[in-house]
Amino acid sequence: MTTLPQKPSPPQTLTSGPAITVSLTPLPLSLDTATTCVKSPKAGAIVLFAGTTRDSFENKPVSSLSYSAYVPLALDTLLTIARAVHAKHELTAISITHRLGTVPIGEESIIIAVSAPHRQAAWKAGEAALEECKERAEIWKMEQFEDGGVWRANRDGQKGEKLDQPIPKDDVA
């Protein structure tokens, strides 16, 4: 199967006041940008989570990951998650950025930054935001191995239940 190359979509961002930012982007992610987004003199703690592409899954070499999303719905879902986590943990600010397209080994696919007056709230909020994103955001990944690839939903977790039969490498763009 031959597919035409697709032009990557430009970065898209939604905000809710100055304290909540969510983004989807085909560009490499920046830890500095995420930190700057949540930095505040009212915050005594900043927690930063960076999810990176690892080189293997269940002892199988991974050559790359590629993420796709239904962007309007995924942005709305990320914003809903960010608002809920912000309120529940009384955060100063939260930023969730997910990369779309191909993410090479060692590069970040998601960055979550949170700030809070105290560290315990920031730690709990960072983890809650990640787990909610994995469970609810309309983002899917193609895990590419040497012998083909597998589409997975983020919610599939560590074991990554296969959602479809492996796609032969020749059929992947």
Side-chain angles (χ1 to χ4, degrees):
M1 170 195 289
T2 303
T3 58
L4 297 174
Q6 293 183 343
K7 181 180 176 185
S9 62
Q12 297 192 33
T13 301
L14 291 179
T15 60
S16 183
I20 299 173
T21 304
V22 298
S23 301
L24 295 171
T25 180
L27 304 174
L29 305 184
S30 166
L31 299 172
D32 289 338
T33 299
T35 303
T36 299
C37 196
V38 300
K39 200 169 209 174
S40 167
K42 295 178 180 171
I46 293 175
V47 169
L48 184 65
F49 172 81
T52 58
T53 301
R54 64 180 173 266
D55 65 359
S56 63
F57 180 78
E58 294 186 343
N59 297 319
K60 252 181 124 170
V62 171
S63 56
S64 69
L65 293 181
S66 182
Y67 290 88
S68 67
Y70 178 52
V71 173
L73 187 56
L75 279 171
D76 284 343
T77 300
L78 292 176
L79 189 59
T80 297
I81 291 166
R83 284 178 175 152
V85 170
H86 185 274
K88 179 178 180 180
H89 296 280
E90 300 178 357
L91 297 177
T92 307
I94 182 170
S95 171
I96 301 171
T97 305
H98 204 297
R99 189 162 169 191
L100 299 178
T102 300
V103 182
I105 303 299
E107 291 190 18
E108 293 80 14
S109 56
I110 186 169
I111 295 178
I112 297 173
V114 299
S115 62
H118 305 284
R119 70 180 181 274
Q120 191 173 31
W123 281 116
K124 289 178 180 178
E127 184 170 12
L130 176 64
E131 295 307 323
E132 286 295 309
C133 288
K134 290 177 77 65
E135 180 67 30
R136 297 177 46 206
E138 295 78 5
I139 300 170
W140 303 274
K141 67 179 172 182
M142 163 62 81
E143 214 161 18
Q144 190 62 50
F145 303 101
E146 292 174 2
D147 60 350
V150 178
W151 280 106
R152 302 185 196 280
N154 272 335
R155 70 178 178 278
D156 291 341
Q158 287 185 357
K159 290 295 179 186
E161 301 164 29
K162 292 182 181 179
L163 299 180
D164 206 351
Q165 294 298 318
I167 301 169
K169 192 171 187 173
D170 295 341
D171 289 350
V172 178

